[in-house]
Amino acid sequence: MSDAIATIVVRFLPDNLSTEARAGEPLLEVANRAGVTIPTGCLMGSCHACEVEIVGGPTLCACISGVPGDSPEVTVNLESDPLW
């Protein structure tokens, strides 16, 4: 029997929009499905234009990261860089 969580609720702050996702699903695709635009640059994780904070967890580059699968709900705090 697997300990993987089948469906994860992903909430995006500051707009408090949410959608369901699978663990490992690309974060940019999940954000798009929720109607959230995450700014991107290189799409390779080098420029950090797409950095988001997982509340209670790490800061990730959304372009190369999947939805964490260790909790039934994940909150993503969008950080914006005024230079982008």
Side-chain angles (χ1 to χ4, degrees):
M1 179 183 261
S2 172
D3 289 336
I5 299 167
T7 303
I8 299 166
V9 175
V10 182
R11 183 173 322 282
F12 294 92
L13 300 178
D15 296 326
N16 203 31
L17 298 171
S18 62
T19 190
E20 292 183 344
R22 296 177 317 279
E25 189 174 356
L27 201 48
L28 284 180
E29 290 179 17
V30 175
N32 187 48
R33 189 168 58 242
V36 173
T37 300
I38 297 176
T40 60
C42 68
L43 295 176
M44 297 185 307
S46 297
C47 73
H48 296 269
C50 62
E51 272 192 358
V52 297
E53 174 193 2
I54 303 300
V55 175
T59 298
L60 305 172
C61 289
C63 69
I64 59 169
S65 299
V67 174
D70 55 353
S71 176
E73 186 169 322
V74 173
T75 301
V76 179
N77 189 13
L78 302 177
E79 298 177 0
S80 63
D81 184 338
L83 300 176
W84 281 95

